[in-house]
């Protein structure tokens, strides 16, 4: 039986993984994990996610004020609003990988029925317009865009938020989204048309893998 990592170790491993994939730059991005019905663990502000240790996390109240606790990531309210709206979510990731952020600065369409993995892991991708980072306005907009079923939100000129029932679940969506964005940008640059597998194939895939329809 695999050993389950303690919460901060799970997020440390997630930060290292994001760094190894080239999804990080500077001190951008933030990670969190639901700890109970009343609290969640979140990275501190100004931390490099690929260099996290056990001192780089803050336990935050689910019903706290926008800037509580003050040492937490400036995007604390984004995580808080998602956990408040989605009891099923255990992990929230906000990153700005290159291709995803490039697409976030455009109106490029992102069809998810391109390859089986994008169909299975992404579902419908929500998008929100540019809103100042760290604000409750952005937090509310992202939580509303996720709704009850979606797992991925692209924030214009900012990056992406993904959610999941586990850290790996949420990270897998970041990884697959970055792959999709890279495919779309590369195909457009080369003048190629991407063929889609269509809704019937997507529905069949999800039935085969027992994946609940999202979006």
């Amino acid at each position: 039986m695999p050993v389950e990592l303690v919460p901060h170790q799970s997020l440390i491993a997630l930060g290292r993984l994001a760094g190894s994939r080239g999804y990080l730059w500077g001190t951008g991005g933030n990670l969190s994990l639901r700890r109970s019905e009343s609290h969640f663990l979140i990275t501190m502000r100004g931390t490099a996610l690929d260099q996290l240790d056990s001192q780089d996390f803050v336990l935050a109240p689910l019903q706290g004020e926008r800037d509580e606790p003050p040492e937490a990531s400036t995007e604390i309210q984004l995580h808080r609003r998602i956990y408040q709206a989605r009891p099923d979510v255990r992990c929230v990731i906000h990153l700005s990988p290159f291709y995803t952020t490039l697409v976030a600065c455009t109106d490029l369409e992102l069809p998810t029925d391109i390859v089986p993995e994008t169909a299975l892991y992404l579902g419908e991708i929500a998008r929100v317009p540019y809103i100042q980072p760290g604000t409750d306005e952005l937090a509310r907009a992202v939580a509303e865009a996720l709704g009850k079923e979606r797992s991925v939100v692209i924030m214009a000129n900012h990056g992406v938020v993904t959610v999941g029932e586990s850290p790996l679940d949420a990270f897998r969506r970041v990884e697959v989204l970055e792959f999709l964005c890279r495919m779309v940008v590369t195909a457009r640059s080369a003048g190629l048309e991407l063929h889609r597998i269509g809704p019937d194939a997507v529905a069949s895939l999800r039935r085969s893998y027992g994946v609940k329809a999202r979006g």
Side-chain angles (χ1 to χ4, degrees):
M1 178 179 296
V3 177
E4 184 175 354
L5 298 176
V6 298
H8 74 269
Q9 288 178 335
S10 298
L11 295 180
I12 288 172
L14 204 62
R16 299 282 195 277
L17 186 58
S20 72
R21 295 291 194 269
Y23 297 163
L24 305 178
W25 50 276
T27 58
N30 28 82
L31 312 171
S32 71
L33 190 67
R34 188 191 293 271
R35 292 294 290 119
S36 67
E37 293 182 359
S38 59
H39 288 82
F40 61 99
L41 197 67
I42 187 168
T43 47
M44 295 178 68
R45 65 178 63 204
T47 53
L49 297 187
D50 58 347
Q51 299 175 36
L52 295 171
D53 62 36
S54 59
Q55 307 302 311
D56 292 325
F57 301 93
V58 178
L59 190 64
L62 194 60
Q63 301 301 327
E65 298 298 323
R66 186 175 68 85
D67 294 322
E68 181 189 355
E71 65 271 24
S73 166
T74 54
E75 296 286 10
I76 184 174
Q77 197 69 351
L78 175 69
H79 296 251
R80 180 178 280 134
R81 291 296 184 192
I82 293 172
Y83 288 128
Q84 288 174 346
R86 290 282 298 272
D88 61 307
V89 168
R90 185 163 180 256
C91 181
V92 177
I93 296 175
H94 163 42
L95 295 177
S96 300
F98 178 79
Y99 283 95
T100 297
T101 307
L102 178 62
V103 170
C105 296
T106 74
D107 293 322
L108 279 177
E109 181 187 5
L110 284 178
T112 58
D113 57 342
I114 297 298
V115 296
E117 288 78 8
T118 58
L120 288 170
Y121 295 127
L122 298 180
E124 180 183 350
I125 298 172
R127 298 181 80 140
V128 299
Y130 180 77
I131 302 172
Q132 197 70 10
T135 62
D136 193 45
E137 182 184 1
L138 176 61
R140 289 179 181 275
V142 171
E144 182 178 353
L146 282 171
K148 299 300 181 184
E149 297 290 341
R150 298 187 188 97
S151 300
V152 180
V153 177
I154 290 177
M155 300 176 290
N157 302 82
H158 192 170
V160 65
V161 170
T162 64
V163 302
E165 296 177 1
S166 70
L168 187 58
D169 192 30
F171 184 78
R172 185 176 290 119
R173 294 190 170 105
V174 173
E175 198 166 30
V176 175
L177 177 64
E178 178 71 353
F179 174 81
L180 174 62
C181 290
R182 185 174 182 177
M183 284 190 67
V184 170
V185 169
T186 302
R188 185 182 179 93
S189 299
L192 300 174
E193 180 182 356
L194 293 172
H195 295 164
R196 300 166 69 162
I197 64 176
D200 291 342
V202 171
S204 178
L205 272 169
R206 290 182 172 170
R207 285 195 300 271
S208 297
Y209 285 87
V211 175
K212 181 180 178 182
R214 292 185 177 273

